[in-house]
Amino acid sequence: MSPTRLWPALFLLCSLAPVQVSGLSAAAPGAVPPAPVSPALVSPATVSPESVTGVAALPGGTRLVCAGMSLWKLAAGKPVRFTLPESCQGLRVSPSGQLALVAGAKAASVWHLGDGKMLTQIQWPDPARRAAFLGDAALLLAGANGLERLDLGTQARTSLRPGAATGAVTGVVAAPDGQRAVVGDGTRVQLVNLADGQVLSGVRCEAACPVQDAQFGAGRRVAVVRAGDTLYALREGHPATVVVRGAQGSAGFPLAGGGVWVLTAGRIERRDAQTGRREGVVRPEGVSGPAAWTPQGGLLFVSGRELVELDAAGREAGRTALP
């Protein structure tokens, strides 16, 4: 069954509802620009494993932990804490590892990880609560009228493929190269080419399926998406397949050769992307919280009061204590 073509209905006219942006944009006459938020060096252990909502692995061994109203940068020396404007609900890092996108309930904020300054804050438009990096210089925003590109340097906005019907986008995750994205409207999920809107793979869900997370494989042509309570594999040129049903709280990471690492029920399994068949258990227990790719193609996740790193073969490659 070929993918349903959602793109034209959703994205051809993509002027978002009003969005408030502060930080990089020029202030209105008489307005007081927000003070930049600076990091503070904090040494006591203050993060509980249950509070972690996002992790990231940067080149050079630096690790990020998002928990509560704090974004922690863990490198050599003491942990550095960035104070967030609201509790963290998700974390993404730009391809260069220089910027972090932190999602909250009311807004998203972009941080420069070198000096800990908040560059911009974006109030979410209804009904969407999603944004993604497009390379290092722009964000892809989802909203009631479609998708919009926001230039982080100039604040210029570009609607994608203007001039046709409108449609709400409630979920979006872009690949690191900014060429493809997973998009959803709550009933359908698709892998699309952002340059021309071509649908590369997709599925109309059997039940409500808001996009909650998506991870791309190394070639950017495969994504594993948690939408509703199902993990789907979207492979370019192929229909979507179900990897796991009843996947509340699970995450999937596509591997070379058609495999998927699935984090579920406190462990990591390897499954087949096309059939969902379990091929083995990589780690039988001790996995909690969110996970992220490492620059070497391994996996970073929370286990107890530590961040554990696996290499590309699933072998343990290192540990970092939570702050």
Side-chain angles (χ1 to χ4, degrees), residues 154-193:
T154 66
Q155 299 300 303
R157 295 171 179 275
T158 305
S159 57
L160 298 185
R161 298 175 61 83
T166 63
V169 181
T170 58
V172 59
V173 180
D177 60 11
Q179 296 182 15
R180 297 170 180 81
V182 169
V183 297
D185 66 352
T187 62
R188 288 174 288 188
V189 180
Q190 294 180 324
L191 175 65
V192 300
N193 185 323

PDB file of all heavy atoms in Angstrom, residues 154-193:
ATOM      1  N   THR A 154      18.694  36.126  11.435  1.00  0.00           N
ATOM      2  CA  THR A 154      17.952  37.303  10.990  1.00  0.00           C
ATOM      3  C   THR A 154      16.518  37.333  11.490  1.00  0.00           C
ATOM      4  O   THR A 154      15.856  38.356  11.362  1.00  0.00           O
ATOM      5  CB  THR A 154      17.926  37.352   9.463  1.00  0.00           C
ATOM      6  OG1 THR A 154      17.172  36.229   8.970  1.00  0.00           O
ATOM      7  CG2 THR A 154      19.345  37.285   8.895  1.00  0.00           C
ATOM      8  N   GLN A 155      16.035  36.205  12.021  1.00  0.00           N
ATOM      9  CA  GLN A 155      14.635  36.031  12.420  1.00  0.00           C
ATOM     10  C   GLN A 155      13.683  36.014  11.231  1.00  0.00           C
ATOM     11  O   GLN A 155      12.458  36.070  11.400  1.00  0.00           O
ATOM     12  CB  GLN A 155      14.196  37.120  13.409  1.00  0.00           C
ATOM     13  CG  GLN A 155      14.993  37.127  14.705  1.00  0.00           C
ATOM     14  CD  GLN A 155      14.867  35.814  15.469  1.00  0.00           C
ATOM     15  OE1 GLN A 155      13.784  35.386  15.807  1.00  0.00           O
ATOM     16  NE2 GLN A 155      15.992  35.189  15.727  1.00  0.00           N
ATOM     17  N   ALA A 156      14.211  35.949  10.012  1.00  0.00           N
ATOM     18  CA  ALA A 156      13.356  35.872   8.821  1.00  0.00           C
ATOM     19  C   ALA A 156      12.608  34.548   8.815  1.00  0.00           C
ATOM     20  O   ALA A 156      13.138  33.507   9.195  1.00  0.00           O
ATOM     21  CB  ALA A 156      14.200  36.012   7.566  1.00  0.00           C
ATOM     22  N   ARG A 157      11.358  34.614   8.353  1.00  0.00           N
ATOM     23  CA  ARG A 157      10.498  33.433   8.309  1.00  0.00           C
ATOM     24  C   ARG A 157      10.151  33.109   6.864  1.00  0.00           C
ATOM     25  O   ARG A 157       9.857  33.991   6.069  1.00  0.00           O
ATOM     26  CB  ARG A 157       9.213  33.676   9.097  1.00  0.00           C
ATOM     27  CG  ARG A 157       9.476  33.879  10.577  1.00  0.00           C
ATOM     28  CD  ARG A 157       8.189  34.339  11.276  1.00  0.00           C
ATOM     29  NE  ARG A 157       8.452  34.503  12.694  1.00  0.00           N
ATOM     30  CZ  ARG A 157       8.397  33.514  13.582  1.00  0.00           C
ATOM     31  NH1 ARG A 157       8.065  32.302  13.188  1.00  0.00           N
ATOM     32  NH2 ARG A 157       8.667  33.731  14.843  1.00  0.00           N
ATOM     33  N   THR A 158      10.186  31.819   6.551  1.00  0.00           N
ATOM     34  CA  THR A 158       9.857  31.358   5.209  1.00  0.00           C
ATOM     35  C   THR A 158       8.850  30.231   5.319  1.00  0.00           C
ATOM     36  O   THR A 158       9.132  29.198   5.929  1.00  0.00           O
ATOM     37  CB  THR A 158      11.117  30.847   4.477  1.00  0.00           C
ATOM     38  OG1 THR A 158      12.116  31.863   4.483  1.00  0.00           O
ATOM     39  CG2 THR A 158      10.772  30.469   3.048  1.00  0.00           C
ATOM     40  N   SER A 159       7.669  30.441   4.736  1.00  0.00           N
ATOM     41  CA  SER A 159       6.691  29.355   4.714  1.00  0.00           C
ATOM     42  C   SER A 159       7.092  28.379   3.619  1.00  0.00           C
ATOM     43  O   SER A 159       7.603  28.766   2.566  1.00  0.00           O
ATOM     44  CB  SER A 159       5.281  29.894   4.469  1.00  0.00           C
ATOM     45  OG  SER A 159       5.235  30.636   3.268  1.00  0.00           O
ATOM     46  N   LEU A 160       6.877  27.097   3.866  1.00  0.00           N
ATOM     47  CA  LEU A 160       7.274  26.075   2.912  1.00  0.00           C
ATOM     48  C   LEU A 160       6.183  25.853   1.877  1.00  0.00           C
ATOM     49  O   LEU A 160       5.027  25.595   2.216  1.00  0.00           O
ATOM     50  CB  LEU A 160       7.571  24.757   3.637  1.00  0.00           C
ATOM     51  CG  LEU A 160       8.710  24.798   4.650  1.00  0.00           C
ATOM     52  CD1 LEU A 160       8.975  23.410   5.207  1.00  0.00           C
ATOM     53  CD2 LEU A 160       9.975  25.357   4.027  1.00  0.00           C
ATOM     54  N   ARG A 161       6.581  25.981   0.603  1.00  0.00           N
ATOM     55  CA  ARG A 161       5.672  25.744  -0.517  1.00  0.00           C
ATOM     56  C   ARG A 161       4.368  26.538  -0.372  1.00  0.00           C
ATOM     57  O   ARG A 161       3.286  25.973  -0.231  1.00  0.00           O
ATOM     58  CB  ARG A 161       5.377  24.253  -0.661  1.00  0.00           C
ATOM     59  CG  ARG A 161       6.634  23.434  -0.972  1.00  0.00           C
ATOM     60  CD  ARG A 161       6.332  21.945  -0.985  1.00  0.00           C
ATOM     61  NE  ARG A 161       5.348  21.595  -1.995  1.00  0.00           N
ATOM     62  CZ  ARG A 161       5.647  21.386  -3.278  1.00  0.00           C
ATOM     63  NH1 ARG A 161       6.872  21.530  -3.712  1.00  0.00           N
ATOM     64  NH2 ARG A 161       4.697  21.054  -4.134  1.00  0.00           N
ATOM     65  N   PRO A 162       4.425  27.882  -0.389  1.00  0.00           N
ATOM     66  CA  PRO A 162       3.217  28.693  -0.214  1.00  0.00           C
ATOM     67  C   PRO A 162       2.297  28.620  -1.420  1.00  0.00           C
ATOM     68  O   PRO A 162       2.704  28.293  -2.520  1.00  0.00           O
ATOM     69  CB  PRO A 162       3.773  30.113  -0.051  1.00  0.00           C
ATOM     70  CG  PRO A 162       5.055  30.077  -0.816  1.00  0.00           C
ATOM     71  CD  PRO A 162       5.613  28.709  -0.607  1.00  0.00           C
ATOM     72  N   GLY A 163       1.028  28.911  -1.154  1.00  0.00           N
ATOM     73  CA  GLY A 163       0.104  29.110  -2.253  1.00  0.00           C
ATOM     74  C   GLY A 163      -0.990  28.094  -2.415  1.00  0.00           C
ATOM     75  O   GLY A 163      -1.725  28.118  -3.380  1.00  0.00           O
ATOM     76  N   ALA A 164      -1.136  27.142  -1.481  1.00  0.00           N
ATOM     77  CA  ALA A 164      -2.204  26.156  -1.622  1.00  0.00           C
ATOM     78  C   ALA A 164      -2.894  25.964  -0.283  1.00  0.00           C
ATOM     79  O   ALA A 164      -2.841  26.813   0.590  1.00  0.00           O
ATOM     80  CB  ALA A 164      -1.644  24.850  -2.160  1.00  0.00           C
ATOM     81  N   ALA A 165      -3.528  24.809  -0.096  1.00  0.00           N
ATOM     82  CA  ALA A 165      -4.385  24.599   1.065  1.00  0.00           C
ATOM     83  C   ALA A 165      -3.588  24.565   2.362  1.00  0.00           C
ATOM     84  O   ALA A 165      -2.421  24.239   2.397  1.00  0.00           O
ATOM     85  CB  ALA A 165      -5.141  23.283   0.901  1.00  0.00           C
ATOM     86  N   THR A 166      -4.259  24.913   3.440  1.00  0.00           N
ATOM     87  CA  THR A 166      -3.631  24.908   4.751  1.00  0.00           C
ATOM     88  C   THR A 166      -3.877  23.576   5.436  1.00  0.00           C
ATOM     89  O   THR A 166      -4.705  22.782   5.033  1.00  0.00           O
ATOM     90  CB  THR A 166      -4.202  26.035   5.627  1.00  0.00           C
ATOM     91  OG1 THR A 166      -5.596  25.780   5.839  1.00  0.00           O
ATOM     92  CG2 THR A 166      -4.004  27.381   4.981  1.00  0.00           C
ATOM     93  N   GLY A 167      -3.161  23.353   6.515  1.00  0.00           N
ATOM     94  CA  GLY A 167      -3.352  22.153   7.305  1.00  0.00           C
ATOM     95  C   GLY A 167      -2.483  22.189   8.534  1.00  0.00           C
ATOM     96  O   GLY A 167      -1.360  22.696   8.493  1.00  0.00           O
ATOM     97  N   ALA A 168      -2.986  21.670   9.635  1.00  0.00           N
ATOM     98  CA  ALA A 168      -2.242  21.697  10.882  1.00  0.00           C
ATOM     99  C   ALA A 168      -1.160  20.640  10.888  1.00  0.00           C
ATOM    100  O   ALA A 168      -1.339  19.536  10.366  1.00  0.00           O
ATOM    101  CB  ALA A 168      -3.190  21.480  12.053  1.00  0.00           C
ATOM    102  N   VAL A 169      -0.018  20.980  11.469  1.00  0.00           N
ATOM    103  CA  VAL A 169       1.063  20.039  11.722  1.00  0.00           C
ATOM    104  C   VAL A 169       1.282  20.020  13.226  1.00  0.00           C
ATOM    105  O   VAL A 169       1.590  21.047  13.829  1.00  0.00           O
ATOM    106  CB  VAL A 169       2.361  20.439  11.008  1.00  0.00           C
ATOM    107  CG1 VAL A 169       3.456  19.414  11.287  1.00  0.00           C
ATOM    108  CG2 VAL A 169       2.131  20.579   9.513  1.00  0.00           C
ATOM    109  N   THR A 170       1.086  18.875  13.840  1.00  0.00           N
ATOM    110  CA  THR A 170       1.206  18.789  15.291  1.00  0.00           C
ATOM    111  C   THR A 170       2.499  18.129  15.738  1.00  0.00           C
ATOM    112  O   THR A 170       2.794  18.102  16.924  1.00  0.00           O
ATOM    113  CB  THR A 170       0.027  18.002  15.882  1.00  0.00           C
ATOM    114  OG1 THR A 170      -0.005  16.698  15.299  1.00  0.00           O
ATOM    115  CG2 THR A 170      -1.281  18.712  15.595  1.00  0.00           C
ATOM    116  N   GLY A 171       3.279  17.592  14.787  1.00  0.00           N
ATOM    117  CA  GLY A 171       4.550  16.982  15.149  1.00  0.00           C
ATOM    118  C   GLY A 171       5.537  17.079  14.016  1.00  0.00           C
ATOM    119  O   GLY A 171       5.182  16.895  12.851  1.00  0.00           O
ATOM    120  N   VAL A 172       6.786  17.411  14.320  1.00  0.00           N
ATOM    121  CA  VAL A 172       7.824  17.472  13.307  1.00  0.00           C
ATOM    122  C   VAL A 172       9.168  17.172  13.954  1.00  0.00           C
ATOM    123  O   VAL A 172       9.469  17.657  15.045  1.00  0.00           O
ATOM    124  CB  VAL A 172       7.855  18.851  12.598  1.00  0.00           C
ATOM    125  CG1 VAL A 172       8.100  19.987  13.585  1.00  0.00           C
ATOM    126  CG2 VAL A 172       8.895  18.868  11.495  1.00  0.00           C
ATOM    127  N   VAL A 173       9.961  16.328  13.305  1.00  0.00           N
ATOM    128  CA  VAL A 173      11.348  16.073  13.700  1.00  0.00           C
ATOM    129  C   VAL A 173      12.161  16.049  12.418  1.00  0.00           C
ATOM    130  O   VAL A 173      11.881  15.255  11.513  1.00  0.00           O
ATOM    131  CB  VAL A 173      11.516  14.734  14.445  1.00  0.00           C
ATOM    132  CG1 VAL A 173      12.979  14.530  14.835  1.00  0.00           C
ATOM    133  CG2 VAL A 173      10.633  14.699  15.682  1.00  0.00           C
ATOM    134  N   ALA A 174      13.161  16.927  12.312  1.00  0.00           N
ATOM    135  CA  ALA A 174      13.972  17.006  11.111  1.00  0.00           C
ATOM    136  C   ALA A 174      15.238  16.176  11.258  1.00  0.00           C
ATOM    137  O   ALA A 174      15.793  16.042  12.355  1.00  0.00           O
ATOM    138  CB  ALA A 174      14.335  18.459  10.806  1.00  0.00           C
ATOM    139  N   ALA A 175      15.711  15.632  10.150  1.00  0.00           N
ATOM    140  CA  ALA A 175      17.003  14.948  10.146  1.00  0.00           C
ATOM    141  C   ALA A 175      18.111  15.972  10.355  1.00  0.00           C
ATOM    142  O   ALA A 175      17.944  17.155  10.030  1.00  0.00           O
ATOM    143  CB  ALA A 175      17.208  14.220   8.819  1.00  0.00           C
ATOM    144  N   PRO A 176      19.251  15.567  10.891  1.00  0.00           N
ATOM    145  CA  PRO A 176      20.337  16.527  11.146  1.00  0.00           C
ATOM    146  C   PRO A 176      20.793  17.299   9.914  1.00  0.00           C
ATOM    147  O   PRO A 176      21.229  18.438  10.041  1.00  0.00           O
ATOM    148  CB  PRO A 176      21.457  15.633  11.702  1.00  0.00           C
ATOM    149  CG  PRO A 176      20.750  14.485  12.329  1.00  0.00           C
ATOM    150  CD  PRO A 176      19.563  14.235  11.449  1.00  0.00           C
ATOM    151  N   ASP A 177      20.687  16.704   8.721  1.00  0.00           N
ATOM    152  CA  ASP A 177      21.122  17.420   7.524  1.00  0.00           C
ATOM    153  C   ASP A 177      20.077  18.397   7.006  1.00  0.00           C
ATOM    154  O   ASP A 177      20.326  19.138   6.047  1.00  0.00           O
ATOM    155  CB  ASP A 177      21.523  16.448   6.419  1.00  0.00           C
ATOM    156  CG  ASP A 177      20.391  15.521   5.993  1.00  0.00           C
ATOM    157  OD1 ASP A 177      19.235  15.754   6.396  1.00  0.00           O
ATOM    158  OD2 ASP A 177      20.664  14.561   5.254  1.00  0.00           O
ATOM    159  N   GLY A 178      18.888  18.418   7.607  1.00  0.00           N
ATOM    160  CA  GLY A 178      17.861  19.368   7.223  1.00  0.00           C
ATOM    161  C   GLY A 178      17.175  19.056   5.908  1.00  0.00           C
ATOM    162  O   GLY A 178      16.380  19.865   5.421  1.00  0.00           O
ATOM    163  N   GLN A 179      17.404  17.885   5.323  1.00  0.00           N
ATOM    164  CA  GLN A 179      16.805  17.566   4.028  1.00  0.00           C
ATOM    165  C   GLN A 179      15.499  16.796   4.154  1.00  0.00           C
ATOM    166  O   GLN A 179      14.650  16.871   3.267  1.00  0.00           O
ATOM    167  CB  GLN A 179      17.796  16.765   3.187  1.00  0.00           C
ATOM    168  CG  GLN A 179      19.054  17.538   2.845  1.00  0.00           C
ATOM    169  CD  GLN A 179      20.010  16.743   1.973  1.00  0.00           C
ATOM    170  OE1 GLN A 179      19.637  15.725   1.385  1.00  0.00           O
ATOM    171  NE2 GLN A 179      21.244  17.192   1.877  1.00  0.00           N
ATOM    172  N   ARG A 180      15.342  16.056   5.225  1.00  0.00           N
ATOM    173  CA  ARG A 180      14.132  15.252   5.422  1.00  0.00           C
ATOM    174  C   ARG A 180      13.571  15.521   6.804  1.00  0.00           C
ATOM    175  O   ARG A 180      14.276  15.955   7.700  1.00  0.00           O
ATOM    176  CB  ARG A 180      14.439  13.762   5.251  1.00  0.00           C
ATOM    177  CG  ARG A 180      14.908  13.370   3.856  1.00  0.00           C
ATOM    178  CD  ARG A 180      15.412  11.944   3.820  1.00  0.00           C
ATOM    179  NE  ARG A 180      15.856  11.554   2.489  1.00  0.00           N
ATOM    180  CZ  ARG A 180      17.043  11.863   1.971  1.00  0.00           C
ATOM    181  NH1 ARG A 180      17.915  12.549   2.713  1.00  0.00           N
ATOM    182  NH2 ARG A 180      17.361  11.482   0.747  1.00  0.00           N
ATOM    183  N   ALA A 181      12.292  15.203   6.959  1.00  0.00           N
ATOM    184  CA  ALA A 181      11.659  15.376   8.261  1.00  0.00           C
ATOM    185  C   ALA A 181      10.536  14.370   8.415  1.00  0.00           C
ATOM    186  O   ALA A 181       9.928  13.936   7.431  1.00  0.00           O
ATOM    187  CB  ALA A 181      11.111  16.797   8.430  1.00  0.00           C
ATOM    188  N   VAL A 182      10.278  13.995   9.644  1.00  0.00           N
ATOM    189  CA  VAL A 182       9.083  13.235   9.994  1.00  0.00           C
ATOM    190  C   VAL A 182       8.033  14.252  10.420  1.00  0.00           C
ATOM    191  O   VAL A 182       8.291  15.109  11.263  1.00  0.00           O
ATOM    192  CB  VAL A 182       9.364  12.251  11.137  1.00  0.00           C
ATOM    193  CG1 VAL A 182       8.062  11.657  11.675  1.00  0.00           C
ATOM    194  CG2 VAL A 182      10.300  11.146  10.675  1.00  0.00           C
ATOM    195  N   VAL A 183       6.849  14.169   9.824  1.00  0.00           N
ATOM    196  CA  VAL A 183       5.767  15.095  10.144  1.00  0.00           C
ATOM    197  C   VAL A 183       4.498  14.302  10.440  1.00  0.00           C
ATOM    198  O   VAL A 183       4.314  13.179   9.972  1.00  0.00           O
ATOM    199  CB  VAL A 183       5.497  16.094   8.995  1.00  0.00           C
ATOM    200  CG1 VAL A 183       6.711  16.966   8.744  1.00  0.00           C
ATOM    201  CG2 VAL A 183       5.104  15.361   7.724  1.00  0.00           C
ATOM    202  N   GLY A 184       3.619  14.886  11.235  1.00  0.00           N
ATOM    203  CA  GLY A 184       2.359  14.239  11.553  1.00  0.00           C
ATOM    204  C   GLY A 184       1.284  15.247  11.868  1.00  0.00           C
ATOM    205  O   GLY A 184       1.569  16.380  12.274  1.00  0.00           O
ATOM    206  N   ASP A 185       0.028  14.842  11.677  1.00  0.00           N
ATOM    207  CA  ASP A 185      -1.102  15.705  12.005  1.00  0.00           C
ATOM    208  C   ASP A 185      -2.013  15.068  13.048  1.00  0.00           C
ATOM    209  O   ASP A 185      -3.132  15.518  13.260  1.00  0.00           O
ATOM    210  CB  ASP A 185      -1.909  16.048  10.745  1.00  0.00           C
ATOM    211  CG  ASP A 185      -2.600  14.827  10.132  1.00  0.00           C
ATOM    212  OD1 ASP A 185      -2.334  13.693  10.589  1.00  0.00           O
ATOM    213  OD2 ASP A 185      -3.411  15.016   9.208  1.00  0.00           O
ATOM    214  N   GLY A 186      -1.540  14.020  13.694  1.00  0.00           N
ATOM    215  CA  GLY A 186      -2.333  13.335  14.702  1.00  0.00           C
ATOM    216  C   GLY A 186      -3.046  12.106  14.194  1.00  0.00           C
ATOM    217  O   GLY A 186      -3.453  11.247  14.977  1.00  0.00           O
ATOM    218  N   THR A 187      -3.195  11.987  12.871  1.00  0.00           N
ATOM    219  CA  THR A 187      -3.831  10.809  12.278  1.00  0.00           C
ATOM    220  C   THR A 187      -2.941  10.120  11.257  1.00  0.00           C
ATOM    221  O   THR A 187      -3.162   8.957  10.937  1.00  0.00           O
ATOM    222  CB  THR A 187      -5.158  11.176  11.581  1.00  0.00           C
ATOM    223  OG1 THR A 187      -4.888  12.085  10.505  1.00  0.00           O
ATOM    224  CG2 THR A 187      -6.123  11.819  12.566  1.00  0.00           C
ATOM    225  N   ARG A 188      -1.954  10.838  10.741  1.00  0.00           N
ATOM    226  CA  ARG A 188      -1.019  10.286   9.775  1.00  0.00           C
ATOM    227  C   ARG A 188       0.401  10.710  10.128  1.00  0.00           C
ATOM    228  O   ARG A 188       0.623  11.783  10.700  1.00  0.00           O
ATOM    229  CB  ARG A 188      -1.365  10.758   8.351  1.00  0.00           C
ATOM    230  CG  ARG A 188      -2.616  10.111   7.799  1.00  0.00           C
ATOM    231  CD  ARG A 188      -3.008  10.703   6.453  1.00  0.00           C
ATOM    232  NE  ARG A 188      -3.541  12.052   6.609  1.00  0.00           N
ATOM    233  CZ  ARG A 188      -4.101  12.749   5.607  1.00  0.00           C
ATOM    234  NH1 ARG A 188      -4.168  12.219   4.399  1.00  0.00           N
ATOM    235  NH2 ARG A 188      -4.566  13.949   5.819  1.00  0.00           N
ATOM    236  N   VAL A 189       1.363   9.866   9.763  1.00  0.00           N
ATOM    237  CA  VAL A 189       2.775  10.137  10.004  1.00  0.00           C
ATOM    238  C   VAL A 189       3.516   9.880   8.712  1.00  0.00           C
ATOM    239  O   VAL A 189       3.291   8.852   8.056  1.00  0.00           O
ATOM    240  CB  VAL A 189       3.351   9.239  11.124  1.00  0.00           C
ATOM    241  CG1 VAL A 189       4.812   9.550  11.358  1.00  0.00           C
ATOM    242  CG2 VAL A 189       2.559   9.389  12.402  1.00  0.00           C
ATOM    243  N   GLN A 190       4.415  10.813   8.329  1.00  0.00           N
ATOM    244  CA  GLN A 190       5.108  10.667   7.061  1.00  0.00           C
ATOM    245  C   GLN A 190       6.556  11.124   7.146  1.00  0.00           C
ATOM    246  O   GLN A 190       6.911  12.007   7.931  1.00  0.00           O
ATOM    247  CB  GLN A 190       4.392  11.467   5.965  1.00  0.00           C
ATOM    248  CG  GLN A 190       3.005  10.936   5.651  1.00  0.00           C
ATOM    249  CD  GLN A 190       2.312  11.728   4.578  1.00  0.00           C
ATOM    250  OE1 GLN A 190       2.457  12.938   4.496  1.00  0.00           O
ATOM    251  NE2 GLN A 190       1.530  11.060   3.750  1.00  0.00           N
ATOM    252  N   LEU A 191       7.390  10.493   6.319  1.00  0.00           N
ATOM    253  CA  LEU A 191       8.754  10.933   6.071  1.00  0.00           C
ATOM    254  C   LEU A 191       8.732  11.709   4.762  1.00  0.00           C
ATOM    255  O   LEU A 191       8.321  11.173   3.726  1.00  0.00           O
ATOM    256  CB  LEU A 191       9.685   9.722   5.964  1.00  0.00           C
ATOM    257  CG  LEU A 191      11.144   9.987   5.591  1.00  0.00           C
ATOM    258  CD1 LEU A 191      11.854  10.780   6.672  1.00  0.00           C
ATOM    259  CD2 LEU A 191      11.868   8.667   5.324  1.00  0.00           C
ATOM    260  N   VAL A 192       9.147  12.979   4.804  1.00  0.00           N
ATOM    261  CA  VAL A 192       9.034  13.832   3.621  1.00  0.00           C
ATOM    262  C   VAL A 192      10.375  14.453   3.278  1.00  0.00           C
ATOM    263  O   VAL A 192      11.244  14.634   4.134  1.00  0.00           O
ATOM    264  CB  VAL A 192       7.984  14.949   3.814  1.00  0.00           C
ATOM    265  CG1 VAL A 192       6.616  14.373   4.081  1.00  0.00           C
ATOM    266  CG2 VAL A 192       8.402  15.900   4.924  1.00  0.00           C
ATOM    267  N   ASN A 193      10.534  14.773   1.998  1.00  0.00           N
ATOM    268  CA  ASN A 193      11.657  15.553   1.507  1.00  0.00           C
ATOM    269  C   ASN A 193      11.278  17.026   1.639  1.00  0.00           C
ATOM    270  O   ASN A 193      10.304  17.476   1.036  1.00  0.00           O
ATOM    271  CB  ASN A 193      11.937  15.194   0.042  1.00  0.00           C
ATOM    272  CG  ASN A 193      13.164  15.882  -0.502  1.00  0.00           C
ATOM    273  OD1 ASN A 193      13.455  17.033  -0.189  1.00  0.00           O
ATOM    274  ND2 ASN A 193      13.899  15.173  -1.357  1.00  0.00           N
TER     275      ASN A 193
END
